[in-house]
């Protein structure tokens, strides 16, 4: 193994000395972020993607599922095993990941030569980002993802500063683990490689340990990639589905374009925008600026989610905060006072939006739906109930039934939608389905009788389908669908 130390040359840019880590102010920001999320994380209720992670972890844990790798469901399963049904314990790993992202962002600022002020501003920007605030305590892939992107950014910036090629092995490990969290890190890695090939430092691509790291990434990512291959690569079919939901969820492309900016927060956005420009002025870090721009354009064109860039905000904020430090050191005093008021406003906005996460995860839909389903299930004759399946129109309803129904009150829910569609279908032992949805049209061609039962919950009804006409293994593949109807 070769470790190459930095060799000064006539053309090499001066790399800044690394200041001490600002433990007290950065630690105070991290502690405040942790306290804020802990203050709401104990409130009962699950965001529907959290409910899905918990349901998969309880009933369908595997090396992958349709639209997410296994880490988030595995985390949910582990925490639920420690304290079944305890929402605060369930969310502790997510809060730790959110706090770790704050620390990593500050560490990136330090590697860039950021002093205490720059590190603290960076930590504040990361900790008060709008998306990080709303979802920072939810056990979901997109909450656990930013820490992997920031770890990758920190390793790349540190390699730029110290040229220790052993860091490239860690780069591979982070990409591999990140792929088991959320697949977008593979796109990030691919764009980074292309950006380095275009803008440099091309010497990075000649490092043997970089490609050894790529091998490590491939090995670590293999389980979930094999699962995808065996199951027909359903993740690749999710792109059009995500795009089709953009108009309803975010107001179309304008909502995506603006949402990716707004998610950075009041302090994070200007620092990130300035950080892109500052990175473009570093000859050996320009690839990070290009990567950001390319990903922004890709996600805007393909109608991705507004939070898809959340893992880059801390890196960009670090570059922006250090850029402000350089201006200050050069004697530019104009507008130097703006940073701290902006930080205060950003913190105030974060405090204001934090309660929205509680409202979004409130059990106002899941609990009544589960309760009505339990009553309808209990009303079935015992012989019929013993062999009845409980099926939901969407994966959201299915996850709600799995996590909100009392333990043992219902069999594990099934659904033809999204991840649930790739789980095993109901058993052929019975021909009865208690169906939860606005309509049971997907079952009508396959059952002799489909009729409403029980009491409706809002626009959702319960249906009893009896007299199945064909075996489940014949009809199930035709029912699978990824769109949420």
């Amino acid at each position: 193994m070769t470790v190459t130390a930095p060799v000064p040359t006539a053309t090499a840019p001066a790399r800044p000395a690394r200041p001490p880590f600002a433990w007290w102010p950065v630690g105070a920001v991290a502690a405040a972020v942790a306290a804020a999320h802990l203050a709401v994380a104990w409130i009962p209720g699950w965001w529907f993607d959290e409910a899905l992670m918990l349901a998969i972890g309880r009933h369908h844990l595997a090396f992958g599922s349709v639209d997410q790798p296994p880490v988030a469901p595995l985390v949910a399963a582990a925490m639920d095993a420690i304290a079944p049904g305890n929402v605060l314990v369930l969310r502790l790993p997510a809060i730790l990941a959110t706090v770790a992202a704050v620390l990593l962002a500050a560490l990136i600022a330090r590697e860039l030569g950021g002093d205490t002020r720059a590190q603290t501003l960076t930590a504040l920007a990361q900790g008060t980002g709008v998306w990080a605030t709303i979802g920072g305590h939810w056990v979901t892939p997109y909450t656990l993802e930013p820490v992997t992107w920031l770890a990758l950014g920190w390793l790349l910036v540190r390699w730029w500063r110290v040229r220790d090629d052993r860091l490239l092995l860690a780069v591979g490990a982070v990409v591999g683990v990140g792929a088991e969290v959320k697949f977008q890190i593979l796109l990030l890695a691919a764009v980074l490689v292309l950006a380095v090939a275009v803008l440099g430092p091309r010497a990075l691509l000649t490092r043997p340990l970089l490609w050894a790291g790529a091998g490590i990434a491939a090995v670590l990512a293999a389980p979930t990639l094999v699962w995808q291959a065996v199951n027909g690569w359903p993740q690749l079919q999710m792109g059009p589905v995500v795009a089709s939901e953009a108009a309803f969820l975010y107001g179309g492309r304008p909502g995506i374009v603006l949402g990716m900016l707004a998610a950075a927060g009041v302090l994070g956005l200007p620092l990130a925008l300035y950080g892109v420009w500052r990175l473009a002025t570093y000859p050996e870090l320009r690839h990070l600026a290009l990567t950001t721009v390319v990903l922004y354009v890709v996600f805007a064109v393909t109608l991705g989610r507004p939070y898809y860039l959340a893992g880059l905000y801390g890196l960009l904020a670090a570059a922006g905060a250090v850029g402000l430090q350089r201006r200050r050191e050069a004697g530019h005093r104009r507008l130097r006072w703006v940073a701290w008021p902006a930080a205060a406003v950003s913190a105030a906005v974060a405090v204001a939006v934090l309660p929205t996460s509680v409202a979004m995860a409130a059990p106002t839909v899941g609990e009544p739906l589960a309760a009505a389903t339990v009553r309808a299930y209990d009303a079935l004759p015992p012989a019929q109930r013993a062999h009845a399946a409980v099926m939901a129109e969407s994966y959201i309803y299915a996850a709600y039934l799995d996590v909100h129904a009392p333990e043992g009150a219902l069999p594990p829910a099934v659904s033809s939608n999204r991840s649930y569609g790739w789980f095993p279908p109901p058993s052929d032992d019975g021909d009865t389905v208690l169906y939860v949805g606005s309509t049971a049209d997907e079952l009508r061609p396959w059952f002799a009788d489909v009729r409403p039962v029980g009491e409706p919950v809002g626009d959702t009804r319960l249906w009893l389908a009896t007299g199945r006409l064909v075996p489940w293994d014949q009809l199930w593949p035709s029912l699978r669908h990824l769109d949420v109807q």
Side-chain angles (χ1 to χ4, degrees):
M1 178 170 58
T2 302
V3 179
T4 306
V7 179
T9 67
T11 59
R15 297 182 180 87
R18 186 174 66 165
F21 188 59
W23 282 108
W24 285 108
V26 171
V29 173
V33 169
H37 287 288
L38 286 169
V40 298
W42 63 271
I43 300 174
W46 291 280
W47 174 237
F48 63 80
D49 282 338
E50 278 188 298
L52 176 62
M53 297 305 106
L54 182 55
I56 294 175
R58 284 178 174 176
H59 304 300
H60 306 286
L61 199 57
F63 284 119
S65 55
V66 167
D67 55 349
Q68 64 272 317
V71 165
L74 181 61
V75 168
M79 303 313 290
D80 191 54
I82 293 171
N86 188 307
V87 68
L88 176 59
V89 173
L90 178 77
R91 288 170 167 171
L92 289 179
I95 296 172
L96 288 174
T98 298
V99 172
V102 171
L103 298 175
L104 277 168
L107 284 169
I108 294 172
R110 181 195 186 200
E111 292 296 332
L112 292 170
D115 58 13
T116 296
R117 175 172 175 158
Q119 293 177 38
T120 306
L121 275 177
T122 302
L124 283 165
Q126 177 65 32
T128 61
V130 172
W131 180 250
T133 299
I134 292 175
H137 52 277
W138 292 338
V139 181
T140 64
Y142 42 79
T143 300
L144 303 178
E145 180 186 54
V147 71
T148 63
W149 284 41
L150 286 168
L152 177 60
W154 175 73
L155 289 167
L156 291 174
V157 172
R158 182 158 175 77
W159 180 88
W160 161 76
R161 201 180 64 78
V162 303
R163 287 300 198 271
D164 184 345
D165 284 6
R166 291 173 297 183
L167 294 167
L168 302 179
L169 296 176
V171 164
V174 168
V175 172
V177 172
E180 299 285 357
V181 174
K182 204 167 185 294
F183 289 115
Q184 270 83 357
I185 198 169
L186 298 177
L187 176 62
L188 170 65
V191 174
L192 279 168
V193 169
L194 292 175
V196 170
V198 172
L199 296 180
R202 296 186 182 90
L204 175 60
L205 302 180
T206 68
R207 305 290 197 183
L209 291 188
L210 175 68
W211 302 109
I216 292 172
V219 170
L220 291 173
T224 194
L225 295 178
V226 169
W227 187 96
Q228 286 284 325
V230 169
N231 288 276
W233 297 102
Q235 174 65 35
L236 298 182
Q237 304 170 41
M238 282 299 299
V241 175
V242 170
S244 70
E245 296 172 349
F248 172 72
L249 294 177
Y250 310 113
R253 183 166 286 109
I256 303 297
V257 169
L258 295 177
M260 285 190 289
L261 299 176
V266 174
L267 178 61
L269 177 57
L271 284 181
L273 294 176
Y274 185 44
V276 171
W277 185 85
R278 289 293 304 184
L279 287 171
T281 67
Y282 285 81
E284 292 190 330
L285 292 178
R286 291 180 297 174
H287 62 283
L288 297 175
L290 179 59
T291 296
T292 300
V293 173
V294 168
L295 289 176
Y296 181 82
V297 172
V298 167
F299 294 145
V301 169
T302 60
L303 296 177
R305 306 292 198 204
Y307 53 77
Y308 276 2
L309 286 180
L312 289 179
Y313 297 147
L315 168 65
L316 301 176
V322 174
L324 293 179
Q325 174 187 327
R326 298 289 177 247
R327 286 180 54 83
R328 186 175 71 251
E329 292 169 347
H332 298 288
R333 299 184 176 276
R334 184 182 178 188
L335 299 180
R336 61 178 297 180
W337 56 271
V338 171
W340 296 113
V345 173
S346 191
V349 170
V351 170
V353 302
L354 184 60
T356 65
S357 68
V358 178
M360 293 168 70
T364 52
V365 174
E367 282 191 353
L369 194 69
T373 305
V374 169
R375 288 192 293 270
Y377 182 75
D378 287 343
L380 296 176
Q384 187 180 41
R385 184 170 64 244
H387 299 284
V390 175
M391 184 173 177
E393 182 179 34
S394 74
Y395 81 94
I396 298 174
Y397 287 170
Y400 280 158
L401 294 178
D402 274 336
V403 302
H404 282 292
E407 185 176 358
L410 296 174
V414 298
S415 175
S416 61
N417 182 226
R418 205 147 303 177
S419 291
Y420 275 84
W422 273 254
F423 300 150
S427 169
D428 280 325
D429 290 346
D431 67 349
T432 300
V433 171
L434 181 60
Y435 187 87
V436 181
S438 58
T439 175
D441 287 349
E442 68 171 327
L443 294 186
R444 294 187 187 279
W446 311 105
F447 285 79
D449 182 61
V450 179
R451 57 187 174 83
V453 296
E455 70 271 23
V457 180
D459 295 332
T460 305
R461 297 216 57 169
L462 290 101
W463 311 78
L464 190 66
T466 55
R468 178 168 41 82
L469 303 176
V470 296
W472 278 110
D473 60 358
Q474 293 183 26
L475 69 91
W476 196 250
S478 66
L479 292 180
R480 287 175 176 164
H481 61 102
L482 295 173
D483 59 306
V484 181
Q485 297 177 342

